[in-house]
Amino acid sequence: MSLADLRNDYGRLTLDERDLDPDPIRQFDRWFAEALAADVAEANAMTLATASPEGRPSARIVLLRGCDARGFSFFTNHDSRKGRELDANPHAALVFYWRELERQVRVEGTVVLVPADESDAYFRSRPFGSRVGAWASAQSQVLSSREALESQFRAIEAKYSSGEVPRPVNWGGYCVVPETIEFWQGRPSRLHDRLRYRKISEGGWTVERLNP
């Protein structure tokens, strides 16, 4: 089978302007709840795209850890590639893909740091091994060997054997403050529904239908 033969013709659902919530965050919450109800695996997994100051893009999968009126939040090492790029160029794009519902959500906006107390609270909620791993890994840096990483993990694990692991100062949350949010619903013959919210004022949005 060739790559040209790998295609699906979508047709499960539709998306109409009359069905949209005026607030895109509430609309996202509705779709996210439907993704959970449909047993979408890791429905909070999203592609995060960042770019260097020179415009060179990079993308990876991260997990959504918060969604409220401010925007979409995730947590990571600030010294990682994405952290360094966001520090120099605080703009990002997110994509959620829920295959079971033939849906995508695309978000574009500016990025701000999550308050330290929120980063502290989320870090404390993580499993012990994940908290140790945040200390053990110099994320995105060249690593001499797997053994070196595991040795560092064991050393940190022993240091914090009491279970109380403080949050590293270079680890915390980011919030993508949306400027546009697009809801994409697969339709037959590639005539997909694409409805985009575009911010026009503080708290104000306009909805536009896009060609598929």
Side-chain angles (χ1 to χ4, degrees):
M1 179 180 290
S2 71
L3 290 176
D5 295 323
L6 294 175
R7 63 174 67 246
N8 292 313
D9 201 19
Y10 305 114
R12 292 189 54 189
L13 300 165
T14 63
L15 180 60
D16 190 278
E17 288 88 340
R18 293 168 296 183
D19 299 327
L20 289 180
D21 191 290
D23 185 301
I25 299 298
R26 290 199 299 264
Q27 180 65 34
F28 177 84
D29 287 342
R30 180 190 300 172
W31 268 27
F32 188 74
E34 291 174 5
L36 294 177
D39 292 325
V40 172
E42 289 197 296
N44 62 329
M46 57 189 185
T47 299
L48 165 68
T50 59
S52 70
E54 296 75 33
R56 291 183 176 273
S58 62
R60 75 289 289 159
I61 303 295
V62 299
L63 297 179
L64 177 71
R65 290 306 187 189
C67 178
D68 54 29
R70 296 173 300 178
F72 300 80
S73 299
F74 63 94
F75 294 83
T76 191
N77 186 315
H78 297 318
D79 295 329
S80 64
R81 178 175 178 179
K82 56 185 172 296
R84 296 194 307 271
E85 288 185 348
L86 288 172
D87 182 58
N89 179 9
H91 300 87
L94 307 172
V95 180
F96 297 85
Y97 176 55
W98 299 320
R99 177 180 179 275
E100 293 82 348
L101 296 174
E102 300 173 347
R103 285 175 171 172
Q104 296 182 64
V105 180
R106 300 173 61 190
V107 180
E108 297 177 15
T110 57
V111 181
V112 297
L113 288 173
V114 166
D117 60 336
E118 293 183 26
S119 291
D120 288 338
Y122 176 69
F123 190 79
R124 287 193 298 268
S125 76
R126 288 162 61 89
F128 175 71
S130 296
R131 285 177 280 149
V132 171
W135 280 94
S137 171
Q139 194 174 70
S140 300
Q141 304 304 311
V142 174
L143 180 64
S144 61
S145 67
R146 175 76 191 187
E147 290 73 20
L149 177 63
E150 293 178 351
S151 175
Q152 177 72 353
F153 182 92
R154 289 192 296 271
I156 300 296
E157 187 178 38
K159 179 178 180 179
Y160 296 114
S161 59
S162 67
E164 292 298 322
V165 185
R167 176 175 65 90
V169 295
N170 65 339
W171 190 100
Y174 294 92
C175 180
V176 180
V177 181
E179 296 166 358
T180 67
I181 304 179
E182 179 189 323
F183 294 84
W184 181 101
Q185 179 68 63
R187 297 292 301 276
S189 302
R190 292 301 189 263
L191 299 181
H192 311 305
D193 288 322
R194 296 178 61 189
L195 295 180
R196 179 179 66 187
Y197 292 78
R198 182 167 53 84
K199 198 162 193 177
I200 55 175
S201 63
E202 189 60 37
W205 298 86
T206 188
V207 176
E208 304 161 316
R209 179 174 284 271
L210 304 179
N211 274 282

